[in-house]
Amino acid sequence: MDEYNVDLNKVEEAVAHKAAVEYPRTLVSDVLEGTVELFGKYTSLLWIVLMLLIVVNVLMRYTLGTNFIALEELQWHLYAVGFMVGLSYCVLHDGHVRVDVLAEHWHPRTRAVVEIIGLVVLFLPFCYFILSYAWPFVERSYRIGEVSAAPGGLPMRWLIKSVILLAFTLMAMAAIARLIRAFSFLTGFPRERKPSHK
């Protein structure tokens, strides 16, 4: 194995977004990003719980010959929460799919302008659209006390549906933070926040 000497930093650099621009940090963007980061980090623990729950369900099915509908539904719900909240974390860390073929040849200011237009014209209206339709969807579920249609399923169906509101609010926050940082890069306003050295 000594003949394969891999420099992981060079590998990471090679696959990183060449079109990504490092925008200045601002006070507001730091608060928004910090909130999304907090939700993203703690929600990532759900994947461990989900994995353990799947193992327990499989063991119960094949060793005891039984399974519980509520536990199966809980698997779906945990997956939905992890995936949906993970989307905002992905936007925050610029890990989403991009078409960098053109952008990697653009000037950083051009990239920032295109990013602002994309966020304002496409991304934020999409978040607003989903939130405006999700609110009555969740509210109705809460009002009627919706439960699982399956016998022995989970109660409080509104709880899992409300994750749509949380997830798209977090995505909008990540996008607004990115928008503020790109605007600061172009105009100098809001002012860049210098990192404090301890």
Side-chain angles (χ1 to χ4, degrees), residues 64-129:
L64 303 177
T66 186
N67 66 331
F68 296 102
I69 300 296
L71 289 180
E72 284 193 17
E73 287 187 359
L74 185 58
Q75 284 178 210
W76 308 336
H77 291 190
L78 291 177
Y79 178 78
V81 173
F83 181 77
M84 290 187 70
V85 174
L87 288 173
S88 60
Y89 190 80
C90 186
V91 170
L92 177 68
H93 289 282
D94 205 25
H96 52 289
V97 175
R98 286 180 170 271
V99 182
D100 291 342
V101 176
L102 297 174
E104 67 186 354
H105 302 292
W106 294 344
H107 189 274
R109 294 183 71 77
T110 305
R111 287 183 251 170
V113 168
V114 170
E115 182 139 30
I116 288 171
I117 292 169
L119 290 170
V120 171
V121 174
L122 299 172
F123 195 84
L124 288 171
F126 174 70
C127 289
Y128 173 77
F129 177 78

Side-chain angles (χ1 to χ4, degrees), residues 125-140 161 164-165:
F126 174 70
C127 289
Y128 173 77
F129 177 78
I130 296 295
L131 287 168
S132 65
Y133 277 89
W135 180 260
F137 179 66
V138 174
E139 189 272 332
R140 180 182 179 282
K161 289 183 176 183
I164 299 168
L165 298 172

Side-chain angles (χ1 to χ4, degrees), residues 133-198:
Y133 277 89
W135 180 260
F137 179 66
V138 174
E139 189 272 332
R140 180 182 179 282
S141 179
Y142 177 77
R143 190 169 23 86
I144 66 172
E146 185 179 6
V147 298
S148 172
L154 293 175
M156 298 187 295
R157 182 58 64 94
W158 60 269
L159 198 56
I160 186 62
K161 289 183 176 183
S162 64
V163 172
I164 299 168
L165 298 172
L166 173 67
F168 278 88
T169 299
L170 289 171
M171 277 195 275
M173 289 170 65
I176 291 167
R178 187 99 177 147
L179 182 65
I180 291 168
R181 291 179 68 179
F183 193 76
S184 175
F185 175 77
L186 289 174
T187 66
F189 179 82
R191 211 164 358 117
E192 181 178 2
R193 183 179 187 194
K194 303 293 182 189
S196 58
H197 299 287
K198 293 184 180 180

